[in-house]
Amino acid sequence: MTYIQVTGGKKLYGDIEVQGSKNAVLPILAASVLHSGVTTIHHCPDISDVQCMIRILDSIGCNVKKEGSTVIVDASQLNNYRIPDEYVARMRSSIILLGPLLGRQHFVTISYPGGCTIGARPVDLHVKGLKRLNAEIIEANDLLTCMATKLLGSEIKLDFPSVGATENILLAAVLAEGTTIISNAAKEPEIEELCEFLICMGAKIEGVGTETIVIQGVDSLHDCEYTVKADRIVTGTYMAAVAATGGKVILRGAVETYLEEVIEVINRMGCITQSSPEGIVVTQKSKPKAYDLLRTRPYPGFPTDLQSPVMAALTIAKGNSILIENIFEARYKVVKDLVKMGANIEVEGKIAIIRGVASLHGASVKAHELRGGAALVIAGMIAKGTTDIHSIEYILRGYEDICRDLQTLGATINYIEET
Ligand code: EPZ
């Protein structure tokens, strides 16, 4: 097995190009099955979740080609209603195929999705919304079997602004008969990107980026070409890294408008962030400052996906910080590994109290999920000595090449083959 070895003590300087957004490209790839033709998607990140989604598309009859960071999907010959369990177990986003496959072929069977163990991650809001569109969904033997003679537009009020449920309902509504109104919809930038992509394919959508999305069903879609924006969570991860190590980094392609809340937090931790035509410049001249009370919230609140990376930086802050994780009920798995590295963190339910320590020390630790794994990389860069991070397959799900990126910025970090 391969693990990551990082030796702490280096500040980060230089510039890197931020990869395309994982959480935008996955629903966009799923959306490509809505059209019996060709869609071309540029700036796709080379991560295992994208490779998994491509295999799923292949398994249902799509012809998928990858040319560098461009993925070309020809979905004219769909020939399978059953998404293979091996892929579904690997990735939560596989559930996002429910909507488009219902819209395209009116039938789909999928097992309950796997993915990061950051919580129970039920799909009740997905099921409730699709049923409102006249889908019949049978949940039996750990399978979701969905069918609809005809999808009919409807009004749907989400009990919670779930990103995935918003995406699934949106994708099913595009080819439904009539108008669908989704209220209390998620407003994450990835939903906005999905809407832009669907409009590029010929969908009729209003209220993009708001909590009320109106979709006018159309009979068919057409070929389109789309370029995915920079990944805001990868951008925020590297901002947290600079906040922790100190230095000055240009994050090329980063979009400031999607990161306002994150930039506010990073600045309060002592950084200076400047937006420039080529991206965002982040500078940290001292040790990070503590953050008195940080809550994770649906967008535009502080994103749950950056809670662990920021926590890692706060372990050596001057002062105490309090984090409240409001989105997922099991997103503190990284704490025990940070404590093993010398962090002083106490967890009580949703609340984590981080008392800043002078320094961390290297240790052998293990990633338990994607963003917690990235947090361990940040902790390793500020620890005295060397840290070995195992189970890095979780990190590779969302970060194209975290060692390449951080080496470019001066970190001592490598992949090591376990003998
Ligand atoms: C998306 O997950 C992202 N994944 C997550 O990023 C992100 O953390 C999350 O949105 C919140 O922003 C992708 O886009 C591939 P939700 P999703 O549905 O859609 C509950 C990463 O690190 N809920 O908004 O699964 C759920 O349990 C990943 O890149 C229900 O109760 O998130 C959670 O508590 C991790 N019933 C909350 O809503 C449902 O039917 C938010 O989940 C659906 C969700």
Side-chain angles (χ1 to χ4, degrees):
M1 292 294 277
T2 307
Y3 63 92
I4 287 176
Q5 185 169 84
V6 47
T7 302
K10 294 281 188 64
K11 294 185 182 211
L12 299 178
Y13 290 97
D15 66 292
I16 51 168
E17 181 74 32
V18 179
Q19 70 184 60
S21 167
K22 164 178 93 79
N23 291 348
V25 78
L26 291 173
I28 284 172
L29 285 168
S32 65
V33 306
L34 281 168
H35 168 47
S36 171
V38 177
T39 46
T40 303
I41 303 146
H42 300 294
H43 200 213
C44 296
D46 188 11
I47 54 178
S48 54
D49 272 12
V50 167
Q51 292 147 22
C52 185
M53 182 60 86
I54 288 172
R55 288 205 187 92
I56 291 176
L57 295 178
D58 270 334
S59 72
I60 57 175
C62 295
N63 181 342
V64 189
K65 276 189 293 189
K66 192 167 182 307
E67 294 162 3
S69 67
T70 293
V71 173
I72 301 154
V73 182
D74 179 344
S76 47
Q77 309 293 329
L78 290 192
N79 58 19
N80 186 359
Y81 305 109
R82 183 83 164 76
I83 316 284
D85 293 353
E86 59 174 301
Y87 302 134
V88 177
R90 219 184 297 171
M91 183 175 72
R92 163 85 186 177
S93 310
S94 43
I95 194 75
I96 294 300
L97 282 145
L98 277 189
L101 285 176
L102 264 179
R104 173 74 186 277
Q105 58 184 24
H106 306 299
F107 188 87
V108 53
T109 299
I110 188 169
S111 54
Y112 283 92
C116 275
T117 55
I118 52 178
R121 305 187 82 174
V123 293
D124 55 311
L125 300 178
H126 297 244
V127 170
K128 205 168 148 188
L130 294 174
K131 282 182 175 174
R132 291 277 301 159
L133 297 177
N134 192 41
E136 193 190 335
I137 298 180
I138 301 160
E139 299 185 64
N141 314 320
D142 218 15
L143 280 181
L144 281 162
T145 301
C146 317
M147 60 207 96
T149 43
K150 183 183 284 187
L151 288 172
L152 300 173
S154 175
E155 294 202 25
I156 298 159
K157 180 171 175 38
L158 282 174
D159 302 337
F160 177 84
S162 153
V163 172
T166 303
E167 291 167 344
N168 247 334
I169 296 163
L170 184 57
L171 289 166
V174 164
L175 296 177
E177 187 179 283
T179 304
T180 297
I181 301 172
I182 309 172
S183 42
N184 197 28
K187 296 188 284 185
E188 271 68 4
E190 293 75 27
I191 305 271
E192 214 171 301
E193 280 213 71
L194 178 60
C195 289
E196 284 167 11
F197 173 73
L198 290 167
I199 291 166
C200 165
M201 290 171 89
K204 290 191 172 29
I205 303 173
E206 290 169 9
V208 176
T210 76
E211 63 189 27
T212 305
I213 303 174
V214 181
I215 306 107
Q216 183 64 47
V218 293
D219 295 333
S220 64
L221 299 163
H222 51 69
D223 291 11
C224 96
E225 201 159 340
Y226 183 80
T227 300
V228 174
K229 292 183 178 67
D231 191 309
R232 65 188 174 103
I233 303 301
V234 170
T235 303
T237 303
Y238 292 157
M239 285 178 164
V242 177
T245 62
K248 181 175 184 176
V249 167
I250 301 174
L251 298 167
R252 295 191 185 289
V255 179
E256 192 176 47
T257 42
Y258 287 164
L259 285 154
E260 280 157 5
E261 189 70 17
V262 176
I263 288 171
E264 190 273 333
V265 170
I266 293 293
N267 287 346
R268 284 207 9 215
M269 290 169 68
C271 291
I272 297 164
T273 47
Q274 293 143 319
S275 193
S276 66
E278 65 259 39
I280 298 177
V281 186
V282 195
T283 308
Q284 171 70 296
K285 292 202 172 83
S286 65
K287 281 188 83 170
K289 295 192 178 87
Y291 197 93
D292 48 5
L293 177 57
L294 179 58
R295 292 183 179 85
T296 62
R297 288 195 181 95
Y299 191 86
F302 185 81
T304 173
D305 295 346
L306 288 173
Q307 179 258 103
S308 299
V310 165
M311 173 187 274
L314 291 171
T315 58
I316 59 162
K318 289 174 270 189
N320 301 338
S321 310
I322 296 176
L323 294 185
I324 304 181
E325 170 54 57
N326 289 312
I327 307 295
F328 288 106
E329 67 276 23
R331 208 158 204 182
Y332 287 137
K333 288 198 159 88
V334 68
V335 168
K336 59 178 176 302
D337 291 277
L338 291 174
V339 168
K340 186 176 177 184
M341 295 175 72
N344 181 339
I345 306 172
E346 268 180 79
V347 169
E348 187 73 41
K350 289 183 170 186
I351 300 169
I353 301 165
I354 304 142
R355 296 182 174 83
V357 295
S359 67
L360 301 182
H361 54 74
S364 173
V365 292
K366 188 168 174 245
H368 301 279
E369 38 85 22
L370 168 56
R371 307 301 175 184
L376 291 173
V377 171
I378 293 173
M381 288 195 291
I382 54 177
K384 286 197 168 97
T386 298
T387 300
D388 293 345
I389 303 163
H390 297 277
S391 302
I392 62 166
E393 63 278 7
Y394 288 109
I395 302 174
L396 303 179
R397 290 191 51 196
Y399 295 86
E400 202 166 64
D401 191 335
I402 202 163
C403 289
R404 170 202 67 196
D405 290 347
L406 294 172
Q407 278 168 2
T408 306
L409 299 175
T412 305
I413 181 169
N414 293 291
Y415 298 111
I416 308 281
E417 276 309 317
E418 201 135 36
T419 48

